Structures are given as C-alpha cells and as structure tokens.
Amino acid sequence: MADFGISAGQFVAVVWDNSSLVEALKDLVDKLQALTGDEGRVSVENINQLLQSAHKESSFDIILSGIIPGSTTLHSAEVLAEMARILRPGGCLFLKEPVETAVVNNSKVKTASKLCSALTLSGLVEVKELQRESLSPKEIQSVHEHLGYNSDSLLSVQITGRKPNFEVGSSSQLKLSTAKKSSGKPAVDPAAAKLWTLSANDMEDESVDLIDSDELLDPEDLKKPDPASLRVASCGEGKKRKACKNCTCGLAEELEKEKLRDQISSQPKSACGNCYLGDAFRCASCPYLGMPAFKPGEKVLLSDSNLNDV
C-alpha cells in the first residue's frame, strides 16, 4: 500500500473485473479502509459498470484498477477517459494490465508503449511504467478464460499517471502587459536624409544634368507598327480561320467582308439581265420565276425547291 501513497482522509476507488478474486478484493478493501480512516472513503466499482456509475467529476484522489492479484483487466480508451474525469486535479491512477512484448496486428492486447500512450491521450501526465513481470500460470489461464487470448509473449505491467492540477475545461485569464511599447522605428541620420532630398531649388542648379526623354527613344520606336504584327499569334491560325472573342486586330471585320463576298458570288447570275423586272420578262428556266420583281443588285434568297427545280 505504501507504493500507492495512500494516506488518511483520501477518497480511493478500486476497479475490478470478473477475473478478480473475491477474497483478494475484500482483503485489499479492508487494508485501504484502514489507511484512509473514518474521514476517507473506499469505493468499489466493476469496470464494466464504470461508465454507467455517474460519478461526479473530481471524486477520487487515487484510483486502483487491475491491482487485485490474479486480475487480467484490459482498459479501453473510454474507461481511461472516465477515470481521468473522476480523478481530482493532482490525483493519481495506478493500473495493472497484461501486455504484448511484440506488436501483433488486430490484437486486443496492447503493448506497453501503446498503453502509456492511451493514458496520455486520456488527459493524464507524468505517465510512466513502474513494474514489469511475467504472468503467473494462473494469470495465463485467466487471460485464456476471460479474454479468449493465447500468446507466449505476454507480460504484466504496472503503470501510473497523474491528473494535471486543473480540471478539464477550466480557464484562466492571461496576464497581458498594458504598458505602451516604443514605436521601434530606427533613428534617421540627418545627413542621409539630406542626401536623398530633392527640392525645387536643386532643379535650377546648373550642375544638375536632366535627361531629355526623347533621347531615350530609338528611330524604330517612332515607326508606326504594321497592323499584321499586332495580331495575336493564335488569331486566325488552324485549318479554319476564326477570330478571337473581342477581336481587336481586324480579323473579325476581314472575315465578315469575305462572308458577304461569298454570299454575293453564290447568287444565281442572270443570263438575260431581266430577271428583276418580273415573270413577264423572265425565261422559262429562270430561278426567280414566280417571285415578285426586285431592284437590281438586291439580295434575294431562293428556296432549295426553286434551286432543285432549276
């Protein structure tokens, strides 16, 4: 009991499971009650009922789990989180659990390092391994009976962890300095400031040579550019010429003129030159036969049936 640091007036919880021996459990509780005295309290809780026990936060100074001789208790992440919740700030958890010495895939039994990591993730600090020993023949049989697990590389480890000196979800106001800080701007050398300062009086000084901006231009810069050179490289390229969207190089207007020329050239040409006067002046094979008279040069659309008949 001295290893657990239990003293008078403390609240202690003993967690057991079906593998725990009843006689050993009673003997442990009697010893704990003698240490805690009348002002303290010893509570006994089955690990399978711990999550439903509805203990208040910060209820116990020390929790002992799997410590009973012969126990082969396995601690899940939910159980460890609940133990951390019901521990008082600064309280300690002592647990004993069978572990694997080698990593086994999909194993319900953890390694010692994974068990320590599980305690850390539950919110405990100063997690460390206190003792490691081989399983007794009775404990090996208990693992097989209660856990349904067989392995020749099992050990029993005892691990402890402490709850931080604050409650989960607690907050504290930060002490921030309200004193005004200096601007932190470096001092400017007056000589350097004067060196880089240019005034209107300096422009009248004959020692200041000003550059004529026109002298910076070459004769090539003054030539009017060729419109073809302003056209985008991809504009009009390919098997089918097509102007870009929002074309500004003139290709769109050029293609529109070509389209109009094609439409005019596709119009049937009159052999007699009287087609526009009406049917009275048209030949028997005139494609405009049956259509009203129109002005010379006026665009007239012919239907496919008229063209096929011709």
Side-chain angles (χ1 to χ4, degrees):
M1 294 300 106
D3 295 338
F4 303 138
I6 300 174
S7 58
Q10 289 185 325
F11 285 63
V12 181
V14 179
V15 181
W16 62 281
D17 69 343
N18 296 333
S19 64
S20 304
L21 300 177
V22 178
E23 294 78 5
L25 176 61
K26 291 182 179 179
D27 182 59
L28 177 62
V29 172
D30 291 340
K31 292 179 180 179
L32 293 174
Q33 287 178 341
L35 291 174
T36 56
D38 297 336
E39 297 179 358
R41 188 182 68 185
V42 178
S43 299
V44 180
E45 191 69 61
N46 187 287
I47 194 170
N48 297 322
Q49 301 297 325
L50 182 62
L51 297 177
Q52 290 80 30
S53 59
H55 288 291
K56 295 181 179 180
E57 295 180 353
S58 305
S59 299
F60 301 99
D61 298 292
I62 294 177
I63 297 178
L64 307 178
S65 180
I67 302 298
I68 304 169
S71 296
T72 56
T73 306
L74 296 182
H75 301 82
S76 65
E78 293 78 8
V79 169
L80 293 176
E82 178 64 14
M83 291 180 178
R85 186 186 70 84
I86 62 178
L87 265 177
R88 290 177 177 174
C92 293
L93 166 65
F94 296 89
L95 64 82
K96 190 176 181 182
E97 181 175 326
V99 297
E100 276 279 5
T101 56
V103 178
V104 180
N105 294 330
N106 301 323
S107 174
K108 65 171 67 176
V109 179
K110 298 183 284 290
T111 61
S113 60
K114 287 187 176 181
L115 183 57
C116 291
S117 298
L119 265 73
T120 303
L121 292 174
S122 67
L124 301 182
V125 297
E126 299 179 10
V127 178
K128 57 184 177 180
E129 183 179 329
L130 298 178
Q131 186 177 359
R132 178 180 294 208
E133 58 186 6
S134 301
L135 294 179
S136 64
K138 289 185 178 180
E139 289 174 335
I140 295 176
Q141 183 179 359
S142 178
V143 170
H144 176 67
E145 292 177 355
H146 295 92
L147 303 180
Y149 188 82
N150 291 320
S151 177
D152 297 330
S153 58
L154 290 178
L155 291 176
S156 178
V157 296
Q158 182 174 323
I159 299 177
T160 183
R162 184 180 64 85
K163 186 172 182 177
N165 294 323
F166 54 84
E167 192 55 77
V168 176
S170 59
S171 61
S172 177
Q173 185 176 1
L174 298 177
K175 296 180 180 179
L176 302 176
S177 176
T178 58
K180 293 184 178 180
K181 296 182 179 180
S182 59
S183 60
K185 294 182 179 180
V188 180
D189 186 3
K194 184 178 180 181
L195 178 64
W196 292 101
T197 301
L198 186 65
S199 65
N201 296 329
D202 295 330
M203 302 297 292
E204 299 176 356
D205 192 350
E206 296 180 355
S207 61
V208 178
D209 296 331
L210 299 180
I211 299 175
D212 187 0
S213 59
D214 293 335
E215 296 179 358
L216 301 176
L217 298 176
D218 295 331
E220 295 293 333
D221 297 330
L222 301 176
K223 291 182 179 180
K224 185 178 180 180
D226 184 9
S229 65
L230 300 178
R231 184 171 297 176
V232 182
S234 60
C235 186
E237 292 183 354
K239 295 182 179 180
K240 185 178 180 181
R241 300 177 68 196
K242 184 178 180 181
C244 301
K245 186 179 181 181
N246 300 327
C247 180
T248 58
C249 66
L251 180 61
E253 291 79 359
E254 182 181 341
L255 294 177
E256 185 65 25
K257 291 179 181 179
E258 292 180 0
K259 184 178 179 181
L260 292 176
R261 286 196 298 267
D262 294 341
Q263 290 178 352
I264 294 173
S265 61
S266 63
Q267 292 289 336
K269 295 183 179 179
S270 175
C272 63
N274 298 324
C275 299
Y276 68 94
L277 296 175
D279 288 346
F281 300 92
R282 294 169 181 165
C283 305
S285 60
C286 183
Y288 297 102
L289 197 63
M291 299 181 66
F294 54 87
K295 296 178 180 180
E298 183 180 357
K299 182 180 178 181
V300 179
L301 298 178
L302 299 176
S303 63
D304 294 339
S305 61
N306 291 347
L307 295 174
N308 293 334
D309 292 342
V310 176

